[in-house]
C-alpha cells in the first residue's frame, strides 16, 4: 500500500514491518522440516524443496493425500526496532490463512482462524520483545476439521456428505470456509491445501491506522449529477483529529474534510462502459489522510440495474442488465480458480485468461461460487478491459450449517469482501450462492418432505437474513441475487425457494443435456438469461503430455479414466460426437488419441455454438410465451489443471476450438442460420445502438469442388438496434432444386451479412444440411503449409494449400504459446492464409516443425 514505510524508518503514522519471506515449515511428527515461502502453501513448498514431484502429474493427487491429512506448523522470527516498539499499539495482520489455525507469538496464543476468505487482525500490544520474536502458525488438516465439525453437528444432517466417487475427493467441505472445489469437483482434483496464502505484516502506531477505503459513485437521476461517496475505516487507538484530502484531478474536483463529507460542485463525467459498448473511463482519486501519505484509487462512473418487469405476451418477468440506462446483452463465460495452489497464480496467468476473454468478444464473466474471491489484480484488469463481473459468494452445490460461529465468520467474510470489491465498476452484481436454491427445490439430497422446512429456514437465515442483509447495508449501488439459478423476485415471493428455479419465464437458468442431440436447438430452454450451459472436451496432447507418459495416451487408459471427474464423461463426449461425425479409426494408437482429442473439441465447439446462437437469436423473440434472452455465460472459461472439462481455454492458456469459435458467435454483429420446419432462416443479431442496413450473402458449396454451386443475395433489410431480426427465409428443398447440383449431403450453405455497399459486417458462418458423417463427396484434403515471418514482431503467416474443401481445419503448434487469428474453420478455397501471434519469441522454423494440421476427413 501507499501507506507502507521502509522498515525501521521513524514516522508519525503507522510503521509496517512485512513478515513475508522465508519461514520454517514442519509437519506434526517433525519428519518433514523445510524452508517455506510466505505467502505460500504446503504442497508448493514441498514441491520446490524436492520432497514431492508435480502434484498434477499422473496419479499424484492420490499419492499425495497424506499432505492434506497431516497438520503443519509455520514458524518465523523477527525483531522490532526500539523506536517502533515504543509506540502505543501493535497489530499482527494476516491477509489470508488457509484455513484452520492457531497463532502464537513468543509462546502465547494470540488468536485462531477458521476462514480462508477473511483477513484477521490480532492485537499484540505489549507482547513484543526487545530481541527475537517468534511467530508460529499451527495449521490443522482441513479434511480432519471438516469431518469433526460434521460429526459434531448431530441434530440433523447437512448434505451432501461426500462427493461422488468419480471425483476422488474428500468429505464435508460445506463445514469449512474454504474453496469448496479444493476437496474435488467434477473438473478438478482434490488438494485440500494448507498454508499462509496471503501476506503477513506487523503494524505499529500511536493514534490510528486506516483499515480500508471504499468509493461508491452514486448517480442522482433527478439532478443528473454524480456524488462520490468515500468511506474510510479506521482502527483508532487514541482519539485524534485529522484532515482527509480527496481529489479527482481530471474533474478538477477536490475536497477537504474534518469529519463529515459534503458534496462539491459537479462536472460532466465520462462513463465506464462494458467492452464493445464504449470506453472504460477510469479516474484517479487521491485520498490523503493527514500524516499518512496519499493513496490513489481508480474511480469509475457507471450505473447498473437488474430489470425484472412484465413483458407483453409472455408470462413471468424479464431479467436483464441495464448499464448507464442502456440494456446490455451479457456475453461471456464462467470463471473457476486458476490453480489448485493459489500461491502459484501469477498476474500473467490472469492476464492471459482475461485478454483471451476480451479477444473472444466477451463482456462478462461469472466468478463462480465454489472457488475463491479473486485477487485484486483480477478485478482491476476487468475494470480496464470492460469485463462485467457477476460475483458469487463462496457457497456451492450444498446445504450449509447455521451455527452461531459459522454465521459469525461468514458475516465477517462478506463484510470484508464487499468492502474490498465494491469500488470496482466491473462488479455489476452479487449473488449469494451457486445452485443451492435449486438443490432444495429439486431435492438433490433426498430430504424427507416433513423436514424440508428446516432446511429452507436455514437457507433463508444464511443467504437472506445474513448475507443479503450485509450486502444491502454495505452496498446500495448494485443488485443482489440470492442464488443462481433463481427466479429472482419470483423466488422471493415464494419464500426464497421457488417451486422451479429453472423456470425459463423468470431469472436465470443452468442447463446441461449430454445425451440429447445438441444440434436440435428446439431442446434448449428459451430462457431470459443462460448463466450456465456447456459440453466437455479434452485438452490438447501438448497440455496433457506435461503430466502423463505415452502409455497414458489412449482413451481407454487408466489415466484417461482417472482424470475424468464427471460420471460417464468420456462416453458422453464420444456418444455426442458420434451423432454427427465418424469417430477416429487410425491404426496408429498415438494418432488415434490425437484425433479423439480433436473430435471432442469439434463436438464441444459445435454444440456450444448452436446453443449460444439460439440464445442470441432469442433476444427479440417471444415464442410460446418464452424468450427475450439477455445473457449467455457458457460453462466454463478456464481450467484448474490438465484434464477433460467444459473449458474453452486449457490449463496454461492454450485456446480450444470453442474459444476460437466464441470470437465469432460473440461478435458484435452476428449472422446466425437455423433450419426450422424445412426452411433456412438467417437472423441478423446486433449489439449496436444504431439500426443497420444489410444484405445476406448466401452460397451453396459442394464438398467435391471449390466453386460455389450457386449464390443468392437478399434484399437490403434493417437489423434492429440491440436486437435480432430475421433477414432471410427460404425453403431448403426449393433452394436445392434451384441450385441444381446440390443435395443435403453433398452441399453446405455459407452466409454472412454485408452492408449495402458490399462490405462484410458479420463473420462468415455456415450451416450443415445433414450430419458431416453422411457428407457425400468429402475427400481427404491433403493440406500442406508454409510458414513465413510477417515482419511484425512474433507474427507469422501460415499459408495452407488443399486439394479438396476441408471442414474443421485445426492448427496446433504444440507448446508454442500464442493463438491464430482463426482456427477450426471451413476451408472452401485451394489456398488460405492465417496468422499466428506468438506470446514469446519464436521462428518460422520452430513453428514449421511443431505445427500439426487436422481436418474432419483426416481422422477416418
Amino acid at each position: 500500500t501507499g501507506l507502507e514505510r521502509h522498515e525501521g524508518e521513524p514516522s508519525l503514522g503507522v510503521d509496517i514491518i512485512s513478515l513475508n519471506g522465508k519461514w520454517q515449515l514442519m509437519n506434526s511428527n517433525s519428519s518433514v522440516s523445510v524452508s517455506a515461502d510466505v505467502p505460500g502453501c504446503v504442497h508448493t513448498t514441498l514441491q520446490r524443496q524436492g520432497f514431492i514431484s508435480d502434484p498434477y502429474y499422473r496419479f499424484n493427487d492420490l499419492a499425495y493425500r497424506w499432505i492434506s491429512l497431516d497438520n503443519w506448523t509455520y514458524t518465523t522470527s523477527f525483531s522490532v526496532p526500539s523506536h517502533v516498539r515504543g509506540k502505543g499499539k501493535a497489530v499482527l495482520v494476516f491477509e489470508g490463512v488457509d484455513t484452520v489455525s492457531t497463532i502464537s507469538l513468543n509462546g502465547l496464543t494470540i488468536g485462531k482462524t477458521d476462514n480462508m476468505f477473511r483477513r484477521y487482525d490480532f492485537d499484540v500490544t505489549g507482547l513484543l520483545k526487545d530481541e527475537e520474536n517468534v511467530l508460529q502458525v499451527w495449521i490443522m488438516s482441513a479434511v480432519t476439521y471438516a469431518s469433526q465439525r460434521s460429526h459434531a453437528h448431530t441434530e440433523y444432517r447437512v448434505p451432501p456428505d461426500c462427493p461422488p466417487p468419480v471425483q476422488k475427493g474428500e468429505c464435508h467441505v460445506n463445514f469449512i470456509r474454504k474453496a469448496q472445489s479444493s476437496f474435488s469437483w467434477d473438473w478438478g482434483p482434490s488438494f485440500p491445501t494448507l498454508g499462509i496464502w496471503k501476506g503477513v505484516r506487523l503494524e505499529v502506531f500511536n493514534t490510528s491506522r486506516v483499515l480500508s477505503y471504499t468509493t461508491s459513485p452514486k448517480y442522482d437521476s433527478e439532478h443528473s449529477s454524480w456524488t462520490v461517496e468515500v468511506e474510510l475505516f479506521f482502527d483508532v487507538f487514541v482519539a485524534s483529529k485529522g484532515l482527509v484530502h480527496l481529489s479527482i484531478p481530471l474533474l478538477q474536483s477536490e475536497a477537504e474534510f474534518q469529519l463529515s463529507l459534503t458534496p462539491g460542485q459537479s462536472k460532466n463525467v465520462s462513463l465506464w462502459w462494458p467492452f464493445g459498448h464504449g470506453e472504460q473511463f477510469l479516474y484517479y482519486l487521491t485520498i490523503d489522510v493527514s500524516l499518512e501519505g496519499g493513496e490513489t484509487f481508480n474511480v469509475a462512473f457507471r450505473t447498473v440495474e437488474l430489470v425484472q418487469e412484465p413483458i407483453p405476451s409472455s408470462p413471468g418477468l424479464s431479467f436483464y442488465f441495464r448499464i448507464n440506462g442502456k440494456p446490455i446483452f451479457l456475453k461471456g463465460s464462467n470463471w473457476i480458480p486458476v490453480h489448485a495452489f493459489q500461491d502459484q497464480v501469477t498476474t500473467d496467468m490472469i492476464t492471459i485468461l482475461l485478454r483471451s476473454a476480451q479477444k473472444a468478444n466477451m463482456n462478462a464473466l461469472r466468478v463462480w461460487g465454489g472457488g475463491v474471491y479473486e485477487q485484486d489484480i483480477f478485478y482491476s484488469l476487468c475494470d480496464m478491459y470492460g469485463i462485467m463481473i457477476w460475483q458469487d459468494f463462496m457457497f456451492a452445490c450444498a446445504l450449509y450449517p447455521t451455527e452461531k460461529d459459522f454465521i459469525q465468520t461468514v458475516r465477517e467474510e462478506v463484510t470484508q469482501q464487499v468492502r474490498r470489491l465494491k469500488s470496482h465498476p466491473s462488479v455489476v452484481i452479487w449473488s449469494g450462492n451457486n445452485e443451492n436454491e435449486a438443490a432444495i427445490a429439486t431435492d438433490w439430497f433426498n430430504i424427507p418432505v416433513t423436514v424440508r422446512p428446516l432446511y429452507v429456514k436455514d437457507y433463508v437465515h444464511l443467504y437472506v437474513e445474513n448475507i443479503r442483509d450485509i450486502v444491502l447495508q454495505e452496498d446500495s449501488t448494485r443488485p443482489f441475487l440470492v442464488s443462481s439459478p433463481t427466479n429472482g423476485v419470483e423466488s422471493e415471493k415464494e419464500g426464497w425457494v421457488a417451486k422451479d428455479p429453472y423456470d425459463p419465464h423468470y431469472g436465470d437458468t443452468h442447463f446441461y443435456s449430454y445425451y440429447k442431440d445438441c444440434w436440435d436447438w428446439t431442446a434448449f430452454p428459451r430462457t431470459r438469461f443462460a448463466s450456465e450451459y456447456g459440453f466437455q472436451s479434452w485438452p490438447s496432447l501438448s497440455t496433457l503430455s506435461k503430466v502423463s507418459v505415452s502409455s497414458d495416451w489412449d482413451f481407454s487408459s487408466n489415466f484417461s479414466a482417472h482424470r475424468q471427474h464427471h460420471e460417464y464423461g468420456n462416453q458422453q463426449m464420444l456418444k455426442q460426437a458420434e451423432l454427427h461425425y465418424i469417430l477416429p479409426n487410425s491404426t496408429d494408437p498415438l494418432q488415434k488419441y490425437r484425433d479423439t482429442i480433436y473430435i471432442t473439441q469439434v463436438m464441444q465447439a459445435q454444440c456450444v455454438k448452436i446453443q449460444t446462437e439460439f440464445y442470441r437469436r432469442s433476444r427479440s423473440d417471444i415464442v410460446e410465451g418464452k424468450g427475450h434472452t439477455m445473457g449467455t455465460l457458457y460453462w466454463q472459461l478456464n481450467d484448474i489443471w490438465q484434464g477433460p472439462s467444459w473449458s474453452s481455454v486449457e490449463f496454461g492458456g492454450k485456446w480450444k476450438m470453442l474459444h476460437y469459435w466464441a470470437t465469432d458467435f460473440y461478435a458484435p454483429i452476428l449472422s446466425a442460420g437455423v433450419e426450422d420446419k424445412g426452411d433456412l432462416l438467417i437472423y441478423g443479431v446486433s449489439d449496436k445502438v444504431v439500426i443497420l442496413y444489410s444484405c445476406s450473402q448466401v452460397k451453396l458449396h459442394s464438398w467435391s469442388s471449390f466453386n460455389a454451386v450457386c449464390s443468392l443475395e437478399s434484399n437490403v433489410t434493417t437489423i434492429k438496434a440491440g436486437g435480432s431480426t430475421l433477414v432471410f427465409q427460404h425453403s431448403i428443398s426449393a433452394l436445392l432444386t434451384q441450385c441444381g447440383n446440390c443435395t443435403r449431403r453433398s452441399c453446405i450453405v455459407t452466409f454472412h451479412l454485408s452492408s449495402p455497399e458490399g462490405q462484410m459486417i458479420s463473420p462468415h458462418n455456415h450451416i450443415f444440411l445433414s450430419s458431416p458423417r453422411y457428407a457425400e463427396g468429402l475427400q481427404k484434403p491433403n493440406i500442406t503449409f508454409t510458414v513465413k515471418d510477417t515482419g511484425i514482431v512474433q507474427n507469422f503467416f501460415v499459408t495452407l494449400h488443399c486439394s479438396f474443401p476441408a471442414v474443421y481445419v485445426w492448427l496446433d503448434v504444440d507448446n508454442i504459446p500464442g493463438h491464430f487469428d482463426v482456427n477450426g474453420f471451413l476451408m472452401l478455397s485451394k489456398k488460405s492464409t492465417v496468422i499466428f501471434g506468438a506470446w514469446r519469441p519464436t521462428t518460422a522454423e520452430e513453428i514449421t516443425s511443431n505445427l500439426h494440421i487436422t481436418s474432419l476427413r483426416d481422422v477416418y
Side-chain angles (χ1 to χ4, degrees):
T1 70
L3 300 180
E4 289 210 10
R5 308 218 167 273
H6 294 294
E7 258 178 71
E9 177 193 311
S11 95
L12 296 161
V14 180
D15 282 282
I16 295 181
I17 296 175
S18 169
L19 300 178
N20 295 346
K22 294 288 178 212
W23 291 44
Q24 268 309 110
L25 175 65
M26 202 187 283
N27 68 339
S28 57
N29 68 3
S30 314
S31 59
V32 180
S33 177
V34 290
S35 164
D37 287 317
V38 168
C41 77
V42 174
H43 288 82
T44 303
T45 301
L46 296 181
Q47 188 187 349
R48 289 200 179 136
Q49 297 289 348
F51 254 79
I52 59 172
S53 58
D54 180 358
Y56 282 2
Y57 183 71
R58 298 193 79 210
F59 306 91
N60 280 352
D61 52 324
L62 300 184
Y64 297 156
R65 261 193 82 198
W66 63 272
I67 298 168
S68 302
L69 299 177
D70 206 344
N71 304 323
W72 296 80
T73 304
Y74 278 87
T75 311
T76 190
S77 59
F78 62 94
S79 56
V80 184
S82 57
H83 72 269
V84 173
R85 220 171 39 253
K87 291 204 169 177
K89 186 168 179 184
V91 179
L92 265 173
V93 179
F94 284 83
E95 288 287 352
V97 179
D98 178 12
T99 289
V100 180
S101 78
T102 301
I103 300 169
S104 66
L105 178 65
N106 298 327
L108 283 171
T109 298
I110 55 168
K112 294 177 183 260
T113 72
D114 63 5
N115 187 330
M116 153 182 193
F117 306 123
R118 273 179 64 176
R119 157 180 161 165
Y120 286 86
D121 291 30
F122 300 111
D123 189 344
V124 294
T125 310
L127 299 181
L128 295 170
K129 287 199 195 148
D130 292 356
E131 62 292 348
E132 223 185 21
N133 292 276
V134 178
L135 179 60
Q136 201 169 60
V137 180
W138 175 81
I139 302 179
M140 179 182 187
S141 159
V143 178
T144 310
Y145 173 86
S147 168
Q148 287 176 3
R149 290 291 300 214
S150 160
H151 289 120
H153 194 286
T154 49
E155 285 170 69
Y156 54 95
R157 58 184 272 266
V158 184
D161 292 330
C162 298
V166 68
Q167 286 179 207
K168 298 163 271 283
E170 303 293 354
C171 302
H172 308 297
V173 71
N174 47 341
F175 277 87
I176 181 168
R177 291 312 296 143
K178 177 173 173 57
Q180 300 291 280
S181 60
S182 65
F183 279 38
S184 81
W185 214 260
D186 58 6
W187 37 251
S190 172
F191 284 114
T193 45
L194 314 96
I196 302 173
W197 73 298
K198 295 197 171 186
V200 186
R201 63 183 181 272
L202 178 68
E203 296 192 354
V204 188
F205 56 98
N206 275 329
T207 53
S208 64
R209 63 181 178 133
V210 177
L211 292 170
S212 61
Y213 301 93
T214 70
T215 56
S216 308
K218 294 185 174 171
Y219 186 64
D220 174 354
S221 48
E222 209 178 313
H223 300 99
S224 307
S225 69
W226 287 90
T227 313
V228 180
E229 191 175 284
V230 178
E231 290 171 293
L232 294 92
F233 298 90
F234 289 97
D235 175 1
V236 179
F237 182 53
V238 175
S240 52
K241 281 206 166 82
L243 279 183
V244 179
H245 183 248
L246 305 177
S247 67
I248 304 179
L250 274 172
L251 295 175
Q252 286 119 39
S253 167
E254 56 182 312
E256 206 158 65
F257 305 102
Q258 288 307 127
L259 281 169
S260 61
L261 298 182
T262 53
Q265 79 284 13
S266 66
K267 288 189 72 77
N268 287 337
V269 302
S270 301
L271 299 176
W272 183 95
W273 287 97
F275 177 66
H277 293 272
E279 297 292 312
Q280 291 75 49
F281 219 94
L282 299 170
Y283 289 91
Y284 288 119
L285 164 75
T286 303
I287 302 179
D288 190 346
V289 180
S290 54
L291 310 180
E292 291 284 2
E295 282 221 44
T296 301
F297 295 85
N298 281 332
V299 174
F301 298 91
R302 67 110 190 83
T303 60
V304 53
E305 304 154 272
L306 176 57
V307 183
Q308 301 180 69
E309 294 170 349
I311 300 175
S313 69
S314 173
L317 297 169
S318 66
F319 187 92
Y320 68 91
F321 289 87
R322 226 171 15 215
I323 306 288
N324 301 329
K326 174 183 166 187
I328 304 268
F329 187 105
L330 269 63
K331 302 180 298 188
S333 187
N334 285 266
W335 176 278
I336 65 159
V338 177
H339 205 293
F341 309 117
Q342 281 289 310
D343 54 294
Q344 293 186 34
V345 177
T346 63
T347 300
D348 268 5
M349 290 177 185
I350 292 174
T351 306
I352 283 172
L353 288 168
L354 292 178
R355 290 278 293 140
S356 296
Q358 196 201 48
K359 279 193 158 82
N361 287 308
M362 294 185 186
N363 61 21
L365 291 171
R366 171 171 171 248
V367 177
W368 166 79
V372 297
Y373 303 95
E374 269 307 327
Q375 45 185 279
D376 294 343
I377 189 70
F378 169 88
Y379 300 96
S380 299
L381 287 169
C382 289
D383 294 344
M384 280 168 54
Y385 296 159
I387 296 173
M388 293 177 279
I389 296 300
W390 171 313
Q391 179 66 54
D392 279 2
F393 287 96
M394 295 300 131
F395 301 86
C397 300
L399 305 183
Y400 286 84
T402 54
E403 282 99 318
K404 253 203 176 77
D405 61 344
F406 187 85
I407 293 287
Q408 200 39 56
T409 198
V410 166
R411 286 184 68 89
E412 187 57 40
E413 162 191 331
V414 171
T415 304
Q416 287 184 13
Q417 294 297 347
V418 172
R419 286 180 186 173
R420 179 173 74 96
L421 302 179
K422 76 177 210 181
S423 306
H424 290 282
S426 52
V427 178
V428 295
I429 184 168
W430 306 106
S431 177
N433 65 69
N434 173 72
E435 296 183 349
N436 299 350
E437 178 186 344
I440 296 178
T442 59
D443 196 24
W444 292 7
F445 306 124
N446 306 317
I447 289 165
V449 166
T450 48
V451 295
R452 190 168 169 248
L454 170 71
Y455 290 99
V456 173
K457 182 170 158 288
D458 276 0
Y459 178 90
V460 172
H461 184 58
L462 178 57
Y463 303 111
V464 182
E465 293 162 4
N466 282 286
I467 296 177
R468 178 173 178 268
D469 204 42
I470 292 171
V471 175
L472 297 184
Q473 203 175 305
E474 290 285 334
D475 180 17
S476 60
T477 67
R478 309 179 165 70
F480 175 88
L481 277 180
V482 177
S483 187
S484 173
T486 182
N487 292 346
V489 292
E490 176 58 27
S491 287
E492 184 176 344
K493 270 196 200 134
E494 295 179 38
W496 304 103
V497 176
K499 197 166 141 307
D500 174 19
Y502 297 98
D503 186 340
H505 297 92
Y506 298 96
D508 63 327
T509 59
H510 296 185
F511 179 81
Y512 295 96
S513 173
Y514 305 113
Y515 292 109
K516 281 202 186 101
D517 180 358
C518 78
W519 288 33
D520 175 14
W521 55 272
T522 61
F524 302 132
R526 205 179 278 271
T527 174
R528 307 291 191 211
F529 194 105
S531 48
E532 275 193 31
Y533 59 98
F535 293 84
Q536 279 199 323
S537 68
W538 275 82
S540 55
L541 183 59
S542 63
T543 295
L544 289 166
S545 62
K546 294 181 176 66
V547 291
S548 58
V549 294
S550 54
S551 59
D552 297 328
W553 302 340
D554 181 310
F555 227 58
S556 53
S557 70
N558 288 342
F559 175 80
S560 294
H562 176 74
R563 226 55 185 189
Q564 174 58 269
H565 282 198
H566 168 62
E567 194 81 75
Y568 309 123
N570 292 345
Q571 297 92 303
Q572 286 168 352
M573 281 184 257
L574 296 183
K575 278 265 176 286
Q576 184 62 249
E578 206 173 20
L579 294 173
H580 301 286
Y581 313 114
I582 293 169
L583 294 183
N585 59 11
S586 169
T587 50
D588 170 8
L590 181 60
Q591 193 54 49
K592 186 178 176 183
Y593 184 64
R594 268 186 185 278
D595 291 346
T596 305
I597 288 171
Y598 163 83
I599 209 77
T600 68
Q601 290 203 16
V602 167
M603 174 277 292
Q604 179 195 34
Q606 187 71 56
C607 287
V608 176
K609 170 188 194 274
I610 290 169
Q611 196 165 352
T612 307
E613 288 184 347
F614 165 72
Y615 293 138
R616 286 194 74 186
R617 283 199 330 266
S618 304
R619 175 172 185 165
S620 303
D621 296 352
I622 295 292
V623 178
E624 293 167 359
K626 298 193 283 281
H628 274 233
T629 308
M630 279 300 283
T632 50
L633 305 173
Y634 66 74
W635 185 269
Q636 65 205 64
L637 178 72
N638 58 315
D639 264 333
I640 197 167
W641 72 337
Q642 308 90 337
S645 83
W646 295 256
S647 74
S648 62
V649 180
E650 301 178 3
F651 182 80
K654 188 170 181 174
W655 291 14
K656 290 182 178 175
M657 195 178 295
L658 169 57
H659 206 81
Y660 284 100
W661 284 28
T663 54
D664 284 349
F665 64 60
Y666 277 156
I669 300 165
L670 168 74
S671 57
V674 63
E675 184 180 329
D676 193 15
K677 304 184 184 73
D679 280 1
L680 169 63
L681 311 180
I682 296 174
Y683 287 83
V685 183
S686 168
D687 286 338
K688 302 289 181 190
V689 285
V690 290
I691 292 174
L692 296 170
Y693 297 95
S694 81
C695 327
S696 323
Q697 311 288 337
V698 182
K699 291 182 177 176
L700 270 77
H701 289 263
S702 150
W703 287 126
S704 52
S705 78
F706 287 112
N707 300 331
V709 181
C710 68
S711 51
L712 302 115
E713 187 174 322
S714 72
N715 296 332
V716 174
T717 45
T718 56
I719 295 176
K720 51 178 162 272
S724 141
T725 310
L726 181 64
V727 293
F728 179 91
Q729 179 163 13
H730 210 295
S731 146
I732 290 174
S733 53
L735 201 59
L736 294 170
T737 312
Q738 207 174 318
C739 264
N741 287 339
C742 266
T743 67
R744 277 180 172 271
R745 292 187 174 191
S746 68
C747 288
I748 183 171
V749 181
T750 68
F751 53 89
H752 65 267
L753 302 176
S754 58
S755 67
E757 299 76 50
Q759 267 187 314
M760 202 166 116
I761 57 172
S762 78
H764 285 288
N765 207 340
H766 58 266
I767 184 168
F768 296 98
L769 299 177
S770 76
S771 288
R773 65 171 302 137
Y774 304 121
E776 285 167 8
L778 190 61
Q779 316 280 323
K780 286 200 189 290
N782 309 316
I783 299 172
T784 59
F785 68 89
T786 55
V787 180
K788 86 175 200 274
D789 209 313
T790 60
I792 298 169
V793 175
Q794 289 168 222
N795 274 270
F796 298 84
F797 289 125
V798 181
T799 304
L800 311 182
H801 293 267
C802 63
S803 42
F804 288 99
V807 62
Y808 303 119
V809 177
W810 180 243
L811 290 75
D812 181 339
V813 284
D814 273 355
N815 277 317
I816 306 171
H819 62 83
F820 295 90
D821 63 335
V822 286
N823 211 346
F825 55 92
L826 183 63
M827 188 166 168
L828 294 173
S829 54
K830 285 182 179 156
K831 179 181 155 186
S832 182
T833 299
V834 299
I835 296 169
F836 178 69
W839 298 339
R840 64 154 169 82
T842 179
T843 59
E845 293 70 39
E846 189 189 14
I847 292 169
T848 304
S849 59
N850 283 279
L851 181 58
H852 303 262
I853 298 179
T854 311
S855 78
L856 186 65
R857 192 62 191 78
D858 297 321
V859 306
Y860 62 90

